[in-house]
Amino acid sequence: DTAVSQTPKYLVTQMGNDKSIKCEQNLGHDTMYWYKQDSKKFLKIMFSYNNKELIINETVPNRFSPKSPDKAHLNLHINSLELGDSAVYFCASSPPGRLLEGAFFGQGTRLTVV
Amino acid sequence: GDSVTQMEGPVTLSEEAFLTINCTYTATGYPSLFWYVQYPGEGLQLLLKATKADDKGSNKGFEATYRKETTSFHLEKGSVQVSDSAVYFCALSFFTGGGNKLTFGTGTQLKVEL
């Protein structure tokens, strides 16, 4: 069973479109995250939710809107896609409290904006 | 702010060679420290962790020791294999009550040749 699963794995779309990436975890964790990995492999946090509540919102354009319908799901909706949004987006989850065991990551969604 | 500095890659080694990937951090307290590994086309997997000074994390022959005095968490392996070829990320995390986030280094690509 996949612990953290994201769909789709690949997404190719045109500039200006709106798209969503879905994430689900079956680990029973309270906290979920979105990370962005750029073309140089640099990873940066975008958002963190704890039990459906937004906890961390880094400096991300407001075209990006996370939504957590329940604590097992965290989706990422992106409006008016731009070329610079091309990246790999990773969902992750962790138990509540101190990050003693690290976070568990999904396989990533490679977004290509053309 | 908190940051992680890793040695730049790519690092190319022959099979059975000794590996060291340097990692130092800047933080205003005592974070938890992690090494993650990313195999080609896959998500991040936790390789090892240490949550307090002088802790040694180990897994699959890899080791790293949390050195508070030098703010370092260098990754070592005595004898690398071709299957160790991947990108390795050093990361730190704080729990602030407002949530956790992993702050990553830039990643170090390791290539092991026969």
Side-chain angles (χ1 to χ4, degrees), chain A residues 35 37 55 97-100 103, chain B residues 34 36 49 51 98 100 102:
Chain A
Y35 282 82
Q37 185 175 46
I55 299 295
R98 197 168 161 222
L99 205 60
L100 294 175
Chain B
F34 306 90
Y36 278 83
K49 61 177 171 61
T51 56
N100 287 296
L102 282 162

Side-chain angles (χ1 to χ4, degrees), chain A residues 4-5 7 29 36 38-39 50 71 77-78 81 90 113:
Chain A
V4 182
S5 59
T7 54
H29 290 163
K36 179 180 180 181
D38 65 21
S39 59
N50 187 51
K71 73 175 193 177
H77 188 75
I78 316 169
L81 277 154
F90 286 101
V113 182

